[in-house]
């Protein structure tokens, strides 16, 4: 073997092994990060209670809710207080969304055109409340950079809708902590790429066997003094919950 060949081998082989090593230790993809964050927040199934407070410049009101989810295809929300709205139920089952209004005994199918409307007059949209988990599959996710938010190193993820999916948002920007996959901040943009609202997550607690944020603030970009605050009071993950739970018949029965 000539001296030149020995030199080439002595350089090429370490580079080859270094390349293999780096491939095996590469950062997570955007999809993997978003999926981990979504799994933390929802699990395979979840059942929780929360209070949602609508804050406006001259008034505020609070709704108490219970919510059930299964994967990204099924979710159900019932309003438990105040008395005026008590008993209203919203359900997502795959691509269909329904609203049961017990006071008038009416079941309403929500058309896609209502997904961008405020849910119960809040700064959450119908899409936020019923379809949030689907961001994993309905968007493409790209890691833009690493930066600090609330003193935590975060992946900054840009999520844009897939061409074949009808979604409300033009894009979302998410700050997801590297250490624990908390979604600490989410910016939602319309189709013209104007910022519509920002969600800030805080008050990390041990709940349902996990550490996760328990307070969520939605702040609209163009309405000074407007805010919606959700405080999670309890949550249980990964209990058995069948697809049949998410039915129109059950919407009329749950309490």
């Amino acid at each position: 073997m000539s001296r030149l060949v020995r030199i080439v081998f002595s350089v090429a082989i370490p580079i080859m092994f270094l390349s293999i090593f780096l491939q095996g230790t590469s950062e997570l993809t955007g999809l993997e990060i978003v999926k981990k964050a979504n799994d933390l927040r929802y699990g395979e199934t979840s059942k929780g209670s929360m209070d949602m407070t609508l804050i406006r410049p001259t008034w505020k009101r609070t709704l108490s809710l219970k919510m059930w989810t299964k994967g990204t295809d099924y979710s159900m929300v019932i309003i438990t207080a105040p008395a005026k709205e008590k008993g209203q139920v919203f359900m997502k089952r795959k691509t269909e969304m329904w609203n049961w209004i017990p006071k008038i005994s009416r079941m309403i199918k929500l058309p896609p055109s209502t997904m961008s409307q405020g849910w119960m007059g809040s700064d959450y949209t119908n899409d936020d409340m019923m379809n949030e988990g689907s961001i994993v599959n309905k968007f493409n996710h790209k890691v833009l950079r690493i930066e600090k938010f609330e003193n935590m190193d975060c992946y900054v993820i840009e999520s844009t809708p897939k061409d074949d999916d009808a979604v409300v948002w033009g894009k979302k920007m998410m700050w997801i902590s590297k250490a624990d996959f908390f979604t600490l901040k989410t910016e939602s943009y319309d189709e013209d790429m104007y910022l519509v609202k920002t969600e800030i997550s805080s008050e990390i607690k041990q709940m349902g066997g996990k550490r996760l944020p328990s307070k969520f603030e939605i702040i609209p970009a163009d309405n000074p003094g407007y805010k919606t605050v959700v405080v999670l009071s309890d949550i249980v993950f990964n209990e058995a919950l069948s697809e049949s739970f998410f039915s129109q018949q059950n919407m009329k029965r749950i309490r």
Side-chain angles (χ1 to χ4, degrees):
M1 182 181 294
S2 70
R3 184 171 180 270
L4 178 59
V5 172
R6 287 198 300 270
I7 291 172
V8 170
F9 269 85
S10 67
V11 174
I13 291 175
I15 289 175
M16 180 183 70
F17 279 104
L18 177 61
S19 175
I20 293 170
F21 174 77
L22 290 175
Q23 289 174 17
T25 59
S26 62
E27 291 283 4
L28 297 170
T29 67
L31 175 60
E32 289 169 335
I33 294 164
V34 172
K35 187 175 187 308
K36 282 179 177 289
N38 189 75
D39 289 346
L40 175 71
R41 187 162 178 174
Y42 298 104
E44 293 182 10
T45 68
S46 67
K47 177 177 67 175
S49 301
M50 63 205 76
D51 289 329
M52 173 185 285
T53 301
L54 286 64
I55 299 171
R56 299 296 182 256
T58 58
W59 57 268
K60 67 178 182 178
R61 70 186 181 105
T62 298
L63 303 173
S64 296
L65 317 169
K66 290 182 181 178
M67 188 169 188
W68 296 260
T69 70
K70 181 178 177 66
T72 61
D73 285 333
Y74 302 90
S75 61
M76 191 179 293
V77 180
I78 182 171
I79 300 173
T80 57
K84 183 178 179 181
E85 288 92 0
K86 184 177 180 179
Q88 276 207 61
V89 182
F90 296 80
M91 180 185 72
K92 175 195 173 187
R93 186 176 174 90
K94 296 187 177 179
T95 60
E96 296 184 346
M97 300 190 190
W98 299 86
N99 177 205
W100 166 246
I101 307 174
K103 288 188 175 181
I104 59 174
S105 298
R106 187 177 178 189
M107 183 75 69
I108 301 172
K109 186 176 183 180
L110 300 178
S113 60
T114 66
M115 289 301 100
S116 61
Q117 295 178 6
W119 188 82
M120 297 300 296
S122 74
D123 300 302
Y124 280 92
T125 64
N126 289 327
D127 186 76
D128 292 329
M129 289 299 296
M130 305 304 298
N131 213 21
E132 183 65 15
S134 66
I135 189 173
V136 175
N137 301 318
K138 290 193 173 184
F139 286 72
N140 295 309
H141 309 284
K142 180 181 179 182
V143 182
L144 297 185
R145 60 187 179 274
I146 306 294
E147 69 179 32
K148 284 192 178 293
F149 182 78
E150 298 296 332
N151 295 318
M152 298 185 199
D153 288 329
C154 293
Y155 298 103
V156 181
I157 309 288
E158 180 183 60
S159 299
T160 52
K162 294 180 178 178
D163 292 337
D164 57 347
D165 277 315
V167 297
V168 169
W169 304 110
K171 75 171 181 179
K172 285 178 176 275
M173 298 288 294
M174 292 179 285
W175 282 252
I176 299 174
S177 65
K178 289 189 69 176
D180 300 290
F181 298 98
F182 303 141
T183 305
L184 298 174
K185 178 182 176 182
T186 302
E187 294 178 345
S188 300
Y189 293 78
D190 65 17
E191 292 180 347
D192 296 318
M193 298 304 158
Y194 287 102
L195 177 64
V196 176
K197 62 182 179 179
T198 301
E199 180 183 70
I200 303 293
S201 305
S202 60
E203 298 187 9
I204 295 167
K205 297 180 180 179
Q206 189 77 21
M207 304 184 75
K210 303 180 181 183
R211 287 182 69 249
L212 70 166
S214 63
K215 183 178 180 180
F216 308 89
E217 297 180 78
I218 290 281
I219 305 164
D222 295 330
N223 292 311
Y226 282 52
K227 183 190 294 188
T228 297
V229 180
V230 172
V231 177
L232 189 61
S233 54
D234 66 78
I235 192 163
V236 176
F237 294 103
N238 302 330
E239 284 192 348
L241 189 61
S242 68
E243 294 176 6
S244 62
F245 175 86
F246 301 90
S247 65
Q248 291 184 31
Q249 292 76 16
N250 204 33
M251 291 176 73
K252 300 175 182 180
R253 293 195 297 259
I254 64 169
R255 297 291 182 268

